[in-house]
Amino acid sequence: MSIYKSQIKDFKEGINVKGFYLCKKLANKITRLGDPYLDLVLEDESGGIRAKIWNFSDVYKDMFAKGDPVAVKGVIIKYNNYLEIDILYINKIKNN
């Protein structure tokens, strides 16, 4: 059974997360091997965290923008001793 956490302050390496966050930063980047990915910073009332979209970044890049509220599903990983979200799914939250 998966444990889901939604507040950034509660994140620990290896847990599954899903929740609603504000996209504070969004950048299209390229790996050393030439593959595209998205680099994000997400925030909620408890803090902020970096996040990456490695798969289907070309599809996701036009679905939301910096400043948009987003719904996220992913896994917490540790990279360079910092926690990050490896995003499996993300979508812009619509008001209606």
Side-chain angles (χ1 to χ4, degrees), residues 36-38 52-60 86-88:
Y37 71 97
L38 295 177
K52 303 284 191 295
I53 300 174
W54 299 105
N55 298 317
F56 308 109
S57 63
D58 55 331
V59 173
Y60 287 118
D86 182 3
I87 294 177
L88 305 173

Side-chain angles (χ1 to χ4, degrees), residues 1-4 11 22 25-26 29 34-35 39 41 44 46 49 55 57 60-61 63 65 74 79 85 92 96:
M1 179 163 75
S2 296
I3 296 174
Y4 285 98
F11 290 172
L22 184 64
K25 176 187 164 201
L26 173 62
K29 295 191 174 181
D35 298 321
D39 186 21
V41 173
D44 67 9
S46 72
I49 191 167
N55 298 317
S57 63
Y60 287 118
K61 71 179 180 177
M63 291 179 70
Y79 180 74
I85 305 175
K92 180 179 176 179
N96 55 4

Side-chain angles (χ1 to χ4, degrees), residues 21-28 38-42 60-70 90-93:
Y21 310 99
L22 184 64
C23 179
K24 294 296 279 186
K25 176 187 164 201
L26 173 62
N28 294 307
L38 295 177
D39 186 21
L40 300 89
V41 173
L42 301 175
Y60 287 118
K61 71 179 180 177
D62 296 323
M63 291 179 70
F64 61 97
K66 177 181 170 184
D68 285 342
V70 291
I90 189 168
N91 200 7
K92 180 179 176 179
I93 298 171

